[in-house]
Amino acid sequence: MTTTLDAPASGPAPGPGAPFRPTKPSVLDRLRDVLTSPKSGPVLVTAALFVVVFVIGGLRYRGFFSGQVFLNLFVDNSYLIVLAVGMTFVILTGGIDLSVGAVVAVSTMIAASLLQSGWSPGAVIPLILVLTSVLGLLVGLMIHVFKVQPFIATLAAMFLARGLCYVISKDSISISEPTFVALAVTRIPLGGGLSITPSVVIALVVVIVAVWVLGFTRFGRTVYAIGGSEQSGVLMGLPVARTKVIVYVVSGFCSGLAGILFSFYTLSGYPLTAVGTELDAIAAVVIGGTLLTGGYGFVLGSVLGVLVLGVIQTIITFEGTLSSWWTKIFIGGLLLVFIILQKVLTSRRRR
């Protein structure tokens, strides 16, 4: 007795030579991949967090939800944006730079001291940028040539820079040079009663250049490669050693520029300026989605991280009854949350 099998409803099975057509992922699958990616997930969370916090501030406080309050986040934190850009380069390679706050301070002290002695801004500003870049170069060489851990090398540079501040002066030095004063008080109108300062323009130019360097140059691709796997970068023939040194030069340059912008903001130099600012810069970069182990991160994410810190400080200012130390408490909590988020996303991606 023989039996026959009915053909499947969908038609005959494809033969061995039929092409394989993979299932097209749905929109929800793509969205889930983006949100759970260690590359883009934390950045999107940071952007959503900024919007939520800003809206909450606007609903709670009269006058908060305005264009000028938003622009003031850039005005008040332009130096920190530049500092975070330099820190992003370093952390993307898996390094760290603890000297940036002290370099900001010594930059303000050098500027104030030389301007008070009659130097012109056209000589003072390039000199500061060269000196801080050379300091970054020395730190990078110490890390590469002598295999010193970045934590120790930059800690030594931090003590050196902070000590130089007190060598220059133990007291605050005011800046009355006309060009610096003009840059401090100038407002660039944007229409509708809105305005920004020249420092914001400088910070945005630095951000644009950094985005281009990291996204569209061989140097930027090497930075990401070192953070992903330094040994693999060496095997691929990438200039790993040179790049590791240059990122600290970039950080030193950005620290010097941040110091100049800070001197525009305060019109003074003081040895205790920017104490703990290196931790604010690291927090902004991590909250902005850059992995502390390197390899993942965006400059624009770091800018978002700075804006999150800025909007928290602004809310505390509007509240009026809270100590400014609550800013540090909120930053610490956010930092812990984002480090855990990064750990979860990277471990899930490895599965």
Side-chain angles (χ1 to χ4, degrees):
M1 181 176 181
T2 60
T3 60
T4 58
L5 295 177
D6 294 334
S10 59
F20 173 73
R21 292 185 175 88
T23 304
K24 186 177 181 180
S26 66
V27 175
L28 290 178
D29 291 335
R30 293 178 178 177
L31 181 61
R32 183 185 60 201
D33 290 341
V34 170
L35 292 176
T36 58
S37 168
K39 184 177 182 180
S40 58
V43 180
L44 295 176
V45 171
T46 304
L49 175 65
F50 172 75
V51 172
V52 169
V53 174
F54 195 83
V55 169
I56 290 174
L59 296 176
R60 181 174 174 82
Y61 307 106
R62 180 180 299 177
F64 188 96
F65 200 64
S66 68
Q68 191 57 55
V69 169
F70 174 74
L71 292 176
N72 284 343
L73 297 177
F74 290 90
V75 172
D76 296 335
N77 297 285
S78 56
Y79 78 96
L80 187 56
I81 289 174
V82 174
L83 211 59
V85 168
M87 187 67 74
T88 303
F89 277 82
V90 172
I91 294 181
L92 279 174
T93 64
I96 201 75
D97 192 348
L98 300 179
S99 68
V100 295
V103 174
V104 168
V106 78
S107 299
T108 64
M109 292 298 292
I110 293 173
S113 177
L114 293 180
L115 291 172
Q116 193 178 70
S117 300
W119 285 51
S120 69
V124 171
I125 293 175
L127 177 63
I128 291 172
L129 297 178
V130 170
L131 291 176
T132 56
S133 298
V134 170
L135 180 60
L137 174 64
L138 294 176
V139 170
L141 291 174
M142 189 185 308
I143 293 171
H144 170 63
V145 176
F146 298 102
K147 308 302 179 185
V148 178
Q149 289 296 319
F151 180 90
I152 300 300
T154 57
L155 184 66
M158 180 186 76
F159 284 121
L160 172 63
R162 190 65 69 177
L164 288 175
C165 292
Y166 288 96
V167 170
I168 295 172
S169 176
K170 296 179 181 178
D171 303 316
S172 177
I173 305 174
S174 61
I175 296 176
S176 57
E177 199 280 328
T179 303
F180 269 61
V181 174
L183 289 170
V185 301
T186 297
R187 305 289 295 198
I188 302 173
L190 300 179
L194 305 178
S195 63
I196 57 175
T197 62
S199 296
V200 176
V201 177
I202 295 172
L204 292 179
V205 169
V206 171
V207 170
I208 292 171
V209 172
V211 169
W212 175 76
V213 169
L214 285 175
F216 302 97
T217 67
R218 186 187 182 195
F219 173 78
R221 291 190 290 271
T222 306
V223 168
Y224 282 105
I226 293 174
S229 174
E230 182 176 337
Q231 188 61 35
S232 298
V234 172
L235 295 175
M236 288 188 293
L238 297 176
V240 170
R242 183 177 64 196
T243 303
K244 286 182 66 177
V245 174
I246 292 177
V247 293
Y248 287 94
V249 177
V250 171
S251 182
F253 177 88
C254 289
S255 300
L257 182 56
I260 294 169
L261 298 183
F262 195 82
S263 65
F264 292 160
Y265 189 71
T266 62
L267 287 178
S268 66
Y270 185 52
L272 291 177
T273 291
V275 172
T277 304
E278 61 276 359
L279 303 181
D280 291 336
I282 294 171
V285 172
V286 174
I287 291 173
T290 301
L291 291 182
L292 277 173
T293 53
Y296 292 109
F298 301 98
V299 168
L300 293 179
S302 299
V303 175
L304 280 173
V306 173
L307 295 181
V308 168
L309 303 188
V311 76
I312 292 173
Q313 180 63 59
T314 303
I315 286 178
I316 290 175
T317 301
F318 269 76
E319 184 68 30
T321 59
L322 294 177
S323 168
S324 61
W325 287 106
W326 278 98
T327 305
K328 303 297 183 183
I329 296 173
F330 285 121
I331 292 173
L334 281 177
L335 191 59
L336 180 61
V337 169
F338 273 84
I339 289 175
I340 294 174
L341 176 64
Q342 291 178 358
K343 185 67 175 177
V344 170
L345 293 180
T346 52
S347 62
R348 181 175 296 180
R349 180 54 62 95
R350 291 193 186 102
R351 293 176 183 175

